[in-house]
Amino acid sequence: MTDKELYESLTYENKNAYLEMSEAEIIEMKTLCDDYRVFLNNGKTERECVKEAVKMAEAAGFSDITKKNELKPGDKIYKINRNKNIFMAVIGSEDITQGINIAGAHIDSPRLDLKQNPLYESTDMALLKTHYYGGIKKYQWPTIPLAIHGVIYNTDGEKLDIVIGEKDDDPVFVITDLLPHLAKDQMVKKMTEGIEAENMNVLIGGMPIKSEDVKEKVKFSILKILNARYKITEKSFQSAEFEIVPAYKARNVGLDESFIGAYGHDDRVCAYTTLRGILEESAPKRTACAILVDKEEIGSMGNTGAQSAFMMMTIAEIVEKLTGCCSVTKLNRVIENSAVMSSDVSAAVDPNYLSVSESKNASYAGQGVAIMKYTGARGKYDSSDANAEFVYEIGRLMDNEGVIWQTGELGKVDQGGGGTIAQYVANLNMDVIDCGVPVLSMHSPFEVVAKSDVYMAYRAYKAFFRR
Ligand code: MN
Ligand code: MN
């Protein structure tokens, strides 16, 4: 062996996934990514993602667990939690107390929510007040076309799903920004203060009604349109949930179409590939489960977030319907022997901002799915930090299944950081590791991922379900 060969056998370097893929894999990747773009266009909110997931699950032979009295190996079930959170499982042949495999992704993305009293008029324009959701850079949201998605009860007590701004002939909405000519004061502000949250008001109308009796003539006109179309009044908004999201569709990016640009890759890229993985699963040894959660971007709180008891309650229901009873000890056995892939995105190294990453431990777009032992910030704070035994096992599984993968870390130490659902699931006493697609421009209205990484994430989750 020459020194060069010996050196190569002793050292390690990431691989570019595109270079490692066969022609057949490239074709499979392109089809998967075309399907993923359709999913992104249909699922811009957590509610819409759950709806899409149910549609896809039913087409794949899954049925609602609440309609079943008992379960047997091979059964495919789902359970919906408050229209924003869904658990799916394919029952395995092995004794369930040996543990189950769960992949968990989140389907909420950073956005602007409407406040409960959003509508007002100023300078002959009608606007909607917003409260941002999740970690956004506020300056990225003005001057882009926006759509409104949400639910509202009308005056007849009917629940309406409303989407405006997605069809080609729909109007869109926008947050205006200052012209540079008058932005002298704004331009010297810190970026965090350049756009203030209370100025992120969405333009919704400007055609006043000719009336001597009413002072706010534009607001009046908008309320008249809303009432004629949906039978809603200003009060109806008080219980409504409306999300303002970018109005454009997911697009291929690059002359070679190697990337996908879209709103909401974090974390729908992992949610979609996890979903595809579980739906294609049949007759596994260990029960294969997938959960799509809400509220990750605001700390996994609430009854539809990863900290909710919903997942444990559903696992208990599976154990009971499969084995006839679910004692605390039996459920504990299942949990302690179970493993979780926290399917969430990582930050891809940005060639425009090399200095924030540490090159040896960062993840790169195009170099495969990123497996992260830990996330967190300020000395791994808020990280579950997977055990070496589990990291080794998962790495070996990926190698054996031909998955191109890389390690990842969220930026240089003390540069910032972040978390995922991993820590909350790990608290239940399962083995958990983060595994997902590296993303460029994360949390922006147009995030970018490499198609090869989307494909490798899909392959990784499929391999995990077979673990
Ligand atoms: Mn995420
Ligand atoms: Mn995020």
Side-chain angles (χ1 to χ4, degrees):
M1 203 184 258
T2 65
D3 271 359
K4 184 171 179 282
E5 285 163 346
L6 179 61
Y7 180 78
E8 274 165 13
S9 74
L10 293 176
T11 55
Y12 164 81
E13 253 178 59
N14 278 358
K15 295 186 174 106
N16 185 293
Y18 285 114
L19 292 178
E20 302 297 314
M21 285 161 69
S22 69
E23 241 165 79
E25 286 176 320
I26 297 271
I27 290 167
E28 202 186 358
M29 171 198 84
K30 286 182 179 166
T31 314
L32 176 79
C33 288
D34 287 346
D35 295 343
Y36 170 48
R37 279 191 291 117
V38 174
F39 178 82
L40 280 171
N41 296 339
N42 293 337
K44 288 195 177 179
T45 67
E46 53 285 346
R47 286 173 187 270
E48 290 168 359
C49 287
V50 165
K51 252 187 218 166
E52 286 300 305
V54 171
K55 221 190 284 172
M56 288 165 65
E58 288 187 341
F62 284 61
S63 55
D64 191 335
I65 190 175
T66 56
K67 297 190 180 117
K68 282 175 153 336
N69 293 324
E70 47 190 53
L71 293 171
K72 57 179 189 317
D75 280 354
K76 301 174 174 189
I77 55 96
Y78 65 81
K79 183 161 182 173
I80 303 168
N81 180 21
R82 295 174 168 83
N83 305 314
K84 297 172 171 182
N85 176 200
I86 182 169
F87 189 95
M88 288 156 282
V90 182
I91 308 302
S93 53
E94 190 180 83
D95 176 3
I96 197 162
T97 57
Q98 300 292 307
I100 60 183
N101 295 327
I102 308 169
H106 67 93
I107 45 177
D108 61 318
S109 294
R111 60 176 189 253
L112 308 174
D113 286 341
L114 288 194
K115 293 195 189 193
Q116 293 334 112
N117 290 306
L119 183 63
Y120 74 103
E121 175 170 337
S122 171
T123 64
D124 285 355
M125 288 184 267
L127 300 111
L128 297 169
K129 303 271 334 158
T130 64
H131 192 142
Y132 67 94
Y133 172 98
I136 62 165
K137 290 164 106 174
K138 297 183 199 78
Y139 69 83
Q140 294 174 332
W141 290 76
T143 71
I144 60 169
L146 298 168
I148 293 179
H149 293 231
V151 294
I152 190 165
Y153 282 83
N154 68 15
T155 49
D156 292 341
E158 291 165 336
K159 189 171 101 175
L160 307 178
D161 286 305
I162 294 178
V163 177
I164 310 169
E166 296 294 345
K167 294 198 200 98
D168 284 343
D169 53 355
D170 269 0
V172 295
F173 309 92
V174 71
I175 295 166
T176 55
D177 191 9
L178 268 181
L179 60 169
H181 316 63
L182 298 181
K184 185 168 73 68
D185 295 341
Q186 184 194 39
M187 296 295 266
V188 295
K189 284 185 182 172
K190 287 199 290 185
M191 279 171 101
T192 49
E193 290 153 14
I195 301 292
E196 285 166 38
E198 290 293 356
N199 291 342
M200 298 180 80
N201 304 310
V202 178
L203 182 60
I204 188 178
M207 201 186 287
I209 284 179
K210 281 181 193 157
S211 164
E212 294 308 310
D213 309 333
V214 177
K215 220 176 99 217
E216 296 180 311
K217 296 183 177 60
V218 183
K219 179 175 167 178
F220 183 36
S221 132
I222 292 299
L223 284 171
K224 273 186 79 172
I225 294 171
L226 288 172
N227 193 257
R229 213 181 279 178
Y230 307 111
K231 282 193 179 175
I232 56 181
T233 67
E234 186 172 18
K235 191 168 168 49
S236 309
F237 281 93
Q238 292 182 335
S239 59
E241 276 182 356
F242 278 114
E243 303 180 13
I244 308 292
V245 298
Y248 38 73
K249 289 182 166 31
R251 302 289 295 265
N252 289 328
V253 172
L255 199 55
D256 55 5
E257 304 190 355
S258 49
F259 300 96
I260 303 171
Y263 164 68
H265 282 314
D266 177 10
D267 181 33
R268 289 165 192 147
V269 67
C270 299
Y272 181 71
T273 43
T274 293
L275 190 54
R276 283 288 297 263
I278 190 82
L279 299 186
E280 289 166 17
E281 192 54 66
S282 65
K285 217 168 84 193
R286 284 160 76 88
T287 294
C289 308
I291 185 166
L292 305 182
V293 294
D294 177 30
K295 299 282 182 278
E296 192 277 343
E297 297 294 357
I298 57 168
S300 296
M301 310 302 182
N303 51 19
T304 53
Q307 297 197 66
S308 153
F310 168 69
M311 185 170 87
M312 287 297 283
M313 289 163 67
T314 309
I315 294 171
E317 187 172 344
I318 289 171
V319 172
E320 187 176 306
K321 288 183 172 173
L322 181 63
T323 68
C325 82
C326 180
S327 68
V328 175
T329 312
K330 192 190 263 184
L331 184 61
N332 289 349
R333 273 303 96 69
V334 176
I335 297 305
E336 70 190 359
N337 290 323
S338 292
V340 179
M341 255 195 180
S342 160
S343 316
D344 205 348
V345 298
S346 73
V349 171
D350 187 325
N352 296 319
Y353 302 95
L354 290 172
S355 70
V356 301
S357 305
E358 185 266 288
S359 62
K360 268 193 80 62
N361 288 284
S363 48
Y364 296 80
Q367 298 189 1
V369 66
I371 294 182
M372 286 187 289
K373 185 178 184 297
Y374 55 86
T375 59
R378 307 176 308 279
K380 296 195 180 180
Y381 205 90
D382 279 337
S383 166
S384 58
D385 206 359
N387 298 312
E389 292 85 343
F390 188 53
V391 182
Y392 173 74
E393 190 217 303
I394 294 297
R396 210 176 47 165
L397 175 70
M398 295 302 134
D399 289 341
N400 290 342
E401 295 291 327
V403 176
I404 306 300
W405 63 282
Q406 54 184 324
T407 57
E409 189 181 54
L410 204 53
K412 269 183 181 166
V413 183
D414 283 346
Q415 181 70 43
T420 64
I421 66 166
Q423 54 176 320
Y424 307 112
V425 187
N427 287 348
L428 300 170
N429 192 21
M430 304 187 198
D431 274 316
V432 185
I433 193 161
D434 281 301
C435 174
V437 176
V439 175
L440 291 156
S441 308
M442 198 200 290
H443 283 203
S444 80
F446 197 71
E447 303 174 315
V448 174
V449 295
K451 288 183 180 176
S452 56
D453 301 337
V454 179
Y455 178 67
M456 287 303 164
Y458 160 73
R459 291 272 302 271
Y461 304 142
K462 276 180 87 81
F464 175 73
F465 288 134
R466 290 262 146 180
R467 144 185 194 275

